[in-house]
């Protein structure tokens, strides 16, 4: 399997709280997109989750294609895949 897998070719709009550490799925396997559910542990070659937090609470578009240049946020790359 070649990682990252494309989970979806559109982002998820998610309400995030300030200062909370979130775990974004980088491998594309998670069933809880866009967040990691530890499915990556089944494959040694799969990429691990990316921990992040935001300084300001609000709605954010999180990448589901896993190819954004601004991970974990969507940058429109899914339109080119
Ligand atoms: S399930 Fe994809 S990074 Fe953990």
């Amino acid at each position: 399997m070649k990682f990252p897998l494309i989970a979806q070719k559109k982002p998820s709009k998610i309400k995030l709280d300030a200062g909370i550490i979130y775990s974004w799925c980088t491998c594309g396997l998670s069933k809880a997109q866009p967040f990691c559910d530890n499915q990556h542990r089944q494959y040694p070659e799969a990429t691990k989750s990316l921990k992040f937090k935001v300084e300001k609470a609000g709605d954010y578009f999180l990448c589901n294609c896993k190819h954004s240049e601004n991970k974990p946020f969507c940058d429109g790359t899914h339109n080119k895949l």
Side-chain angles (χ1 to χ4, degrees), residues 3 23-41 46-50 66:
F3 293 98
S23 180
W24 179 74
C25 169
T26 68
C27 74
L29 285 170
S30 173
K31 301 285 183 246
Q33 295 296 336
F35 301 111
C36 173
D37 68 357
N38 290 322
Q39 294 282 336
H40 64 265
R41 292 182 182 168
T47 49
K48 294 175 179 51
S49 65
L50 172 72
K66 312 303 172 186

Side-chain angles (χ1 to χ4, degrees), residues 2 10 26 37-38 55 68 70 72:
K2 190 173 183 298
K10 61 176 187 178
T26 68
D37 68 357
N38 290 322
E55 290 181 7
S68 170
N70 188 32

Side-chain angles (χ1 to χ4, degrees), residues 8-81:
Q8 243 190 326
K9 283 193 179 177
K10 61 176 187 178
S12 293
K13 185 181 177 188
I14 306 271
K15 194 173 196 59
L16 300 177
D17 290 323
I20 303 289
I21 297 173
Y22 294 99
S23 180
W24 179 74
C25 169
T26 68
C27 74
L29 285 170
S30 173
K31 301 285 183 246
Q33 295 296 336
F35 301 111
C36 173
D37 68 357
N38 290 322
Q39 294 282 336
H40 64 265
R41 292 182 182 168
Q42 296 180 54
Y43 299 88
E45 72 275 28
T47 49
K48 294 175 179 51
S49 65
L50 172 72
K51 307 287 190 288
F52 75 101
K53 56 185 175 181
V54 295
E55 290 181 7
K56 205 173 150 215
D59 289 334
Y60 290 85
F61 287 92
L62 297 182
C63 170
N64 280 323
C65 79
K66 312 303 172 186
H67 288 75
S68 170
E69 297 294 333
N70 188 32
K71 298 173 180 63
F73 306 104
C74 173
D75 70 351
T77 297
H78 61 271
N79 290 316
K80 300 179 209 147
L81 299 174

